[in-house]
């Protein structure tokens, strides 16, 4: 099955406290976005690449794609205020030839080839609408109310932390985003929108190295990992 890859890279990076948005920070000679792209360029069934970014970074993103991507078609699309809006904009240019759509955060440059392949294989099965990579929660998760009081403690062994890639049958993801837009549904990941239309989504166990570069400590860790290579 062929797949289109959507990389949302339009975040502002305020939690990192830098002027340059996270995907464009350079580590070991390449932008984080380029490191992330390279993880997927090793996968044979990749058909098309769509990177979503802010107005100010459209040109730079095209340059990164030209330098990194060989024969594959790619698009650079303008993002929105929320990640969901950014992915929505990318869906408009997905190729008719793709069977699956993979969404992967620009700021997860350490996803392994095995993880991508496991998720693709699982998402290709007829028994589901898609598959996402996740890891079991190491910490106990607390649900809190508005006064920061704990209202519920779910069992830890049932709690998983969602990562990306999140890969879906094309038709289902399109339908989920259409439904969300029409009904004002907001989700912080793609699977939650598919779940909302009753879709069946499987978990594929990933690893903690596929972390999302979010805080300054994450950036230091990323620099350590990449400089060792
Ligand atoms: O903000 P968060 O950590 O969820 O961002 C995950 C990914 O989504 C990042 O790669 C970020 O650049 C992207 N994003 C986006 N459009 C937004 C917000 C985040 O493409 N409006």
């Amino acid at each position: 099955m062929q797949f289109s890859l959507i990389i949302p890279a339009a975040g502002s990076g305020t939690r990192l406290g830098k002027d340059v948005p996270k995907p464009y920070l350079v580590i070991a000679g390449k932008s984080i976005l380029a490191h992330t792209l390279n993880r997927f360029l090793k996968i044979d069934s990749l058909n098309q690449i769509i990177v979503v970014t802010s107005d100010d970074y459209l040109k730079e993103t095209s340059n990164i794609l030209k330098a990194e991507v060989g024969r594959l078609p790619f698009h650079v699309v303008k993002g929105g205020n929320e990640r969901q809006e950014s992915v929505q904009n990318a869906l408009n240019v997905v190729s008719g030839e793709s069977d699956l759509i993979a969404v992967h955060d620009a700021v997860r440059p350490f996803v392994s080839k095995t993880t991508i392949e496991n998720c693709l294989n699982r998402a290709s099965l007829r028994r589901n609408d898609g598959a996402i990579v996740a890891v079991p929660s190491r910490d106990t998760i607390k649900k809190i109310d508005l006064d920061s009081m704990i209202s519920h403690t779910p069992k830890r062994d049932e709690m998983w932390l969602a990562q990306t890639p999140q890969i879906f049958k094309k038709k289902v993801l399109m339908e989920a985003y259409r439904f969300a837009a029409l009904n004002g549904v907001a989700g912080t990941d793609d699977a939650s929108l598919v779940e909302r239309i009753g879709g069946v989504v499987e978990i594929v166990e990933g690893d903690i190295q596929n972390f999302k570069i979010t805080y300054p400590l994450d950036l230091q860790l990323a620099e350590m990992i990449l400089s060792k290579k």
Side-chain angles (χ1 to χ4, degrees), residues 2-6 47-50 73 75 90-101 170 174:
Q2 299 285 301
F3 76 103
S4 292
L5 170 66
I6 296 175
N47 197 30
Q48 176 195 27
I49 299 165
I50 306 160
H75 300 257
L91 291 177
N92 298 330
V93 298
V94 164
S95 158
E97 277 153 38
S98 300
D99 311 291
L100 299 172
I101 300 174
K170 182 172 66 184
M174 297 277 196

Side-chain angles (χ1 to χ4, degrees), residues 138-149:
R138 296 192 278 195
D139 298 320
T140 301
I141 308 264
K142 301 288 182 188
K143 187 167 187 320
I144 59 166
D145 62 22
L146 292 176
D147 306 321
S148 301
M149 300 296 173

Side-chain angles (χ1 to χ4, degrees), residues 7-13 15 21-24 52-54 79-87 104-108 164 188 212-214:
I7 301 189
S12 61
R15 283 179 287 184
K22 288 175 282 183
Y24 301 94
V52 196
T53 192
S54 57
N81 286 336
E82 301 297 329
R83 181 187 184 279
Q84 184 174 328
E85 210 185 309
S86 296
V87 175
H104 185 73
D105 294 327
V107 289
R108 292 187 190 271
T164 65
T188 47
K212 180 166 74 171
I213 299 174
T214 309

Side-chain angles (χ1 to χ4, degrees), residues 26-83:
V26 172
I27 307 182
K30 271 188 196 295
S31 62
I32 291 174
L33 172 61
H35 286 292
T36 302
L37 269 169
N38 278 298
R39 295 289 167 137
F40 281 86
L41 292 173
K42 298 190 181 97
I43 312 289
D44 289 340
S45 53
L46 178 60
N47 197 30
Q48 176 195 27
I49 299 165
I50 306 160
V51 179
V52 196
T53 192
S54 57
D55 257 343
D56 293 347
Y57 284 86
L58 293 170
K59 186 88 193 81
E60 182 161 347
T61 305
S62 290
N63 290 340
I64 292 171
L65 282 157
K66 276 181 206 147
E68 303 297 329
V69 178
R71 50 164 196 102
L72 281 177
F74 62 79
H75 300 257
V76 179
V77 171
K78 193 169 158 336
N81 286 336
E82 301 297 329
R83 181 187 184 279

